Amino acid sequence: MPGYKRRREREREQRRQNILKAAKRLFIERGFKSVTVANIAEKAELSKGAIYLYFSSKEEIYAQILLADIEHFHGEIFQIFDGGKSAADILLDFADAYIDIFLKEREQFRILMNFMLQADNLTLSRETRKRIISEMNRTISLIEKILQYGVDSGELTLEKQDIRKMRNALWGLLNGIISLHLFVGAESMREERIRSNVREGIETILVGLKKRGEGE
């Protein structure tokens, strides 16, 4: 009996993953708004009712895809702390890796922004809402960790109470620039504009912090 139960659980998880893979392909091809649960069911070769056995809504499916990518990002990002780089270089590497998530699958940025701006209008389970908030906080805390590394090494001058303010400013800069250029303007120029504007913004902030330290 235990073996049968484990097999059923594996089959259920496999079916769930198949739904997510099918949905992800459709979201990339058509965009979030154009895809319906019926489309996902057809792509996954399941009934529409079967989809709802695993996910409560299209937004829930999309959020799970987003969470998987952010978790993968966290699994990879800690490598940027290796190699004795400066805090400035680590911060720029972090920004590039974060940008990569949404350049590959830009529709995921839309759902992230929708969650940040109008979470109450999305049909998401309580558990998914908590996970998104947790993963966002985890990402933001990495910026704080990089800034603290810069302070500890003497590269940056920031009072303890100001580290969180600067963390929030950098987080806002990063997402603000992505939102400005990810969906508008010449397609061929979008990536270059996002990367160059983010880099210039971060470098300007860091120069200001270093100058403040020199003046004290």
Side-chain angles (χ1 to χ4, degrees), residues 4 14 30 32 50 56-58 67 81 89 112 116 122 133 144 149 161 163 171 173 178 181 190-191 196:
Y4 173 76
Q14 183 61 53
R30 306 183 191 179
F32 176 74
S56 61
S57 66
K58 182 177 74 168
L67 282 165
F81 290 96
D89 285 339
L112 178 62
M116 292 172 69
L122 298 177
I133 292 170
E144 185 171 344
Y149 171 78
Q161 64 270 20
I163 290 178
W171 175 246
L173 179 147
I178 292 173
H181 300 293
R190 291 179 189 177
E191 178 175 354
S196 63

Side-chain angles (χ1 to χ4, degrees), residues 80-192:
I80 67 174
F81 290 96
D82 298 334
K85 291 185 177 180
S86 68
D89 285 339
I90 293 173
L91 190 56
L92 291 169
D93 286 347
F94 169 87
D96 277 337
Y98 183 78
I99 290 167
D100 283 343
I101 298 175
F102 304 113
L103 285 175
K104 291 175 183 175
E105 295 166 33
R106 66 188 66 179
E107 284 294 318
Q108 299 211 31
F109 188 75
R110 201 190 300 275
I111 198 72
L112 178 62
M113 291 298 102
N114 283 340
F115 180 83
M116 292 172 69
L117 297 173
Q118 45 183 337
D120 292 341
N121 296 329
L122 298 177
T123 308
L124 299 173
S125 67
R126 179 179 296 182
E127 180 184 351
T128 297
R129 291 174 187 273
K130 287 174 64 177
R131 282 186 63 202
I132 292 175
I133 292 170
S134 174
E135 292 303 321
M136 286 171 59
N137 288 338
R138 190 177 171 196
T139 305
I140 295 170
S141 71
L142 282 171
I143 301 176
E144 185 171 344
K145 183 178 179 180
I146 296 168
L147 292 172
Q148 186 63 59
Y149 171 78
V151 171
D152 293 343
S153 67
E155 180 185 350
L156 303 177
T157 302
L158 270 173
E159 298 295 331
K160 188 171 183 179
Q161 64 270 20
D162 292 331
I163 290 178
R164 286 200 168 189
K165 294 177 184 177
M166 186 55 60
R167 172 203 72 181
N168 293 340
L170 289 165
W171 175 246
L173 179 147
L174 185 56
N175 288 293
I177 290 174
I178 292 173
S179 66
L180 279 175
H181 300 293
L182 191 59
F183 300 102
V184 298
E187 178 73 31
S188 61
M189 295 295 293
R190 291 179 189 177
E191 178 175 354
E192 192 277 330

